[in-house]
Amino acid sequence: MPETWDYTLSVPNDLRAVTICRRTLRLILTMHGLTGLADTAELVSNAVRHTKGPAALRVRRSPEGVVWIGAWDADPVPPEPPGSLEAVTDLEAGRGLGLVAACAECWGWQPSSRFGDRGKYVWCELGVA
């Protein structure tokens, strides 16, 4: 049975938080021997760039060995559906969820609340080879 773990990072509304989230996710995955998942995980952390309030990132490994990454933010508006990789490749912005959808085993979103604020949770599952 694989090792299980669970980390949550509370994130302020600050553009510097994007870099902190990327590096934190990369460090967590590296320390658990999962560096191959770091690039996709960093795409999820980009979600904090688009928030207008507090945010949180969570990364965990289930007993089945699946790595689950989620980003919560205080905006209850659903994310735009991801475009196909062909449609978003040349865009400067707005391609992150399309890349996540292409790289993840599955992804989704759900309405959620945290810290008393309504918002949404966008998540993906990454298979571990």
Side-chain angles (χ1 to χ4, degrees):
M1 178 179 287
E3 173 188 31
T4 61
W5 37 263
D6 192 334
Y7 299 88
T8 301
L9 178 64
S10 296
V11 184
N13 186 14
D14 183 331
L15 279 180
R16 294 172 290 192
V18 176
T19 301
I20 292 167
C21 291
R22 285 182 187 151
R23 290 183 180 168
T24 300
L25 281 175
R26 184 169 289 277
L27 181 60
I28 290 167
L29 294 170
T30 299
M31 296 303 294
H32 288 286
L34 299 169
T35 55
L37 301 179
D39 290 339
T40 303
E42 286 182 356
L43 290 172
V44 177
S45 71
N46 283 342
V48 301
R49 172 179 299 187
H50 306 289
T51 64
K52 296 175 178 68
L57 284 175
R58 182 177 180 197
V59 58
R60 65 184 168 101
R61 186 169 186 185
S62 71
E64 296 80 27
V66 173
V67 173
W68 184 91
I69 302 170
W72 174 87
D73 71 65
D75 184 358
V77 176
E80 290 291 323
S84 68
L85 284 183
E86 296 80 25
V88 299
T89 301
D90 295 330
L91 297 177
E92 286 294 317
R95 55 183 187 201
L97 196 51
L99 292 169
V100 169
C103 297
E105 299 287 319
C106 61
W107 76 276
W109 79 275
Q110 61 199 47
S112 182
S113 63
R114 187 176 176 101
F115 312 119
D117 295 319
R118 290 182 53 226
K120 67 181 168 295
Y121 213 77
V122 179
W123 55 269
C124 71
E125 291 182 357
L126 305 175
V128 178

